[in-house]
Amino acid sequence: MVMLRPLRILLSVLKTHPSRCCSGFVSRMRYVNRLKEDDEACAAALKDGRIFLFHHLSPLLQRTDTGTFRPALLTSSDVQSILQQLGSDGSLLKESVLIGCSEQNQAQFCLDVGELDQAALEENFKGNFIDLRKAFFLLDGPEAPLVAKSQALLRWHQTSRFCSATGQPTQRNQAGSQRVCSSSSTIYYPKMSTVAVVLVSDGKRCLLGRQSSFPRGLYSVLAGFCDMGETLEEALCREVAEEVGLEIQSISYSSSQHWPFPHSSFMLGCHASVSPAHTQLSVDNSELEDARWFTVEEITDALQVKTPPRRGDPPSLWLPPKPALANRLIREWVERQDRT
């Protein structure tokens, strides 16, 4: 019988003064919530806000003086000025979607300008629109989750223009936090699909797999969508049994993450163990192209690979980018091995 330990919720401890931190955080959260509920307040905040720009869902990135990349964070007036130069009637800025608030109490928005000329935009803003999957290998900082959230919200608006029940158009509020059916008044909110993500270990090795759609040499942790009515534990046990033919002995919770692929997923990350006496893999090739056990030495070497191998390079193991939950699980496993 599979014995599961209760999931451990990991809370980060704030080292600064609790009352000041909580006060600042609470005020920002209440401010964002007010902008979602008050169209006039949100429109006013947009005038003084900052905007992440996208072109057909690809974020605008700028190269820094040190050669790294960061998302361009633009003022509303700068964006409006360039849009007007490129022939926009000025109403496009109103399509900006609220994504949060900075620690300086400045509202943050995102906007897709795919209807305008990409080359002209890149020249004016001194950056490049880069596919988000590639961008994740270039971004290393707190902006990466904001860029992912932005793309997910923009995509949701692009694919939710009509009510699924009546077929009538839906209208968004100013913040873009909801859409309402013009006929039935049904309210729609952005949705995420729950995904169970697990790094399996036999005590000395960890298990990674790859799908045929992965770039050459890329291996990652096992993952699968939770079925309706399943608990997280049930989904993890089922996915591991289906994909590699192993039976999980124990599970511990690590952390969670929003992930914008393939559309918008809520990733719940866990570690799981199997008996060292029962590690023979039986890979379901309709699910995975390959799955293998890796030693801590192999994983440590792979973590040093900063960019994917180029075409023509010898085959080598590389792992998901640092912003990905899969990367976090792998690093946690290596740290555990170092302590044993």
Side-chain angles (χ1 to χ4, degrees):
M1 182 176 68
V2 178
M3 301 298 292
L4 303 179
R5 288 191 285 133
L7 299 183
R8 296 178 291 108
I9 305 299
L10 306 180
L11 300 177
S12 60
V13 178
L14 297 175
K15 295 184 178 179
T16 48
H17 194 279
S19 61
R20 291 182 59 189
C21 275
C22 290
S23 174
F25 176 78
V26 170
S27 69
R28 290 197 301 273
M29 294 305 100
R30 288 183 172 176
Y31 175 56
V32 170
N33 189 58
R34 183 166 68 88
L35 297 185
K36 292 178 180 180
E37 297 177 345
D38 187 331
D39 285 354
E40 291 185 4
C42 188
L46 177 59
K47 295 179 181 179
D48 298 319
R50 293 293 183 266
I51 300 177
F52 291 94
L53 218 57
F54 288 72
H55 192 277
H56 291 305
L57 299 179
S58 293
L60 178 66
L61 303 186
Q62 295 173 330
R63 187 185 292 271
T64 67
D65 294 337
T66 60
T68 60
F69 287 83
R70 67 183 178 193
L73 193 56
L74 310 168
T75 66
S76 180
S77 58
D78 286 342
V79 173
Q80 183 72 300
S81 175
I82 298 300
L83 294 183
Q84 290 175 346
Q85 289 181 34
L86 297 180
S88 173
D89 61 4
S91 63
L92 181 59
L93 190 66
K94 297 179 181 178
E95 297 299 312
S96 300
V97 176
L98 177 69
I99 57 174
C101 174
S102 71
E103 292 187 1
Q104 291 72 40
N105 294 317
Q106 197 162 44
Q108 299 165 317
F109 297 83
C110 58
L111 175 66
D112 196 293
V113 290
E115 63 186 59
L116 301 179
D117 182 70
Q118 178 176 339
L121 288 164
E122 291 177 333
E123 181 179 355
N124 276 280
F125 289 119
K126 296 180 174 56
N128 296 99
F129 292 101
I130 299 177
D131 178 83
L132 188 58
R133 289 185 184 272
K134 295 179 181 178
F136 268 14
F137 286 97
L138 303 174
L139 296 174
D140 184 15
E143 300 94 349
L146 282 176
V147 171
K149 178 179 181 179
S150 298
Q151 196 216 49
L153 285 170
L154 291 170
R155 181 190 285 111
W156 178 74
H157 280 286
Q158 292 177 9
T159 58
S160 304
R161 299 185 185 278
F162 296 91
C163 175
S164 60
T166 68
Q168 296 301 307
T170 58
Q171 306 296 328
R172 51 164 283 183
N173 63 344
Q174 181 61 50
S177 59
Q178 64 182 45
R179 299 188 72 94
V180 182
C181 174
S182 58
S183 174
S184 66
S185 297
T186 301
I187 301 177
Y188 291 93
Y189 298 96
K191 291 181 173 58
M192 298 186 294
S193 300
T194 305
V195 178
V197 185
V198 62
L199 182 64
V200 179
S201 173
D202 67 354
K204 294 184 178 180
R205 302 173 298 172
C206 72
L207 177 66
L208 301 179
R210 59 172 280 110
Q211 299 177 4
S212 58
S213 59
F214 283 8
R216 185 171 62 101
L218 175 64
Y219 278 75
S220 185
V221 301
L222 303 185
F225 290 100
C226 294
D227 284 346
M228 186 68 71
E230 274 188 327
T231 65
L232 173 60
E233 297 93 332
E234 290 168 342
L236 289 174
C237 291
R238 174 183 54 78
E239 283 292 338
V240 173
E242 288 177 353
E243 294 188 354
V244 294
L246 296 179
E247 187 171 340
I248 288 177
Q249 285 188 319
S250 65
I251 295 173
S252 63
Y253 174 77
S254 168
S255 49
S256 62
Q257 176 187 42
H258 167 259
W259 191 244
F261 312 114
H263 295 294
S264 190
S265 300
F266 182 48
M267 318 288 275
L268 294 168
C270 295
H271 292 273
S273 64
V274 296
S275 168
H278 300 91
T279 59
Q280 182 66 41
L281 301 179
S282 175
V283 179
D284 180 352
N285 293 120
S286 66
E287 295 273 354
L288 298 174
E289 180 182 79
D290 185 35
R292 291 168 45 196
W293 290 104
F294 293 90
T295 65
V296 66
E297 291 79 16
E298 290 174 308
I299 295 299
T300 300
D301 289 343
L303 286 171
Q304 304 308 310
V305 178
K306 302 302 181 183
T307 58
R310 297 180 180 180
R311 184 175 299 177
D313 289 348
S316 61
L317 170 67
W318 57 289
L319 304 171
K322 196 170 183 180
L325 177 57
N327 185 287
R328 186 187 311 165
L329 292 173
I330 293 169
R331 290 180 181 274
E332 287 176 349
W333 178 79
V334 170
E335 292 172 1
R336 291 182 180 183
Q337 300 305 112
D338 290 342
R339 293 196 296 265
T340 59

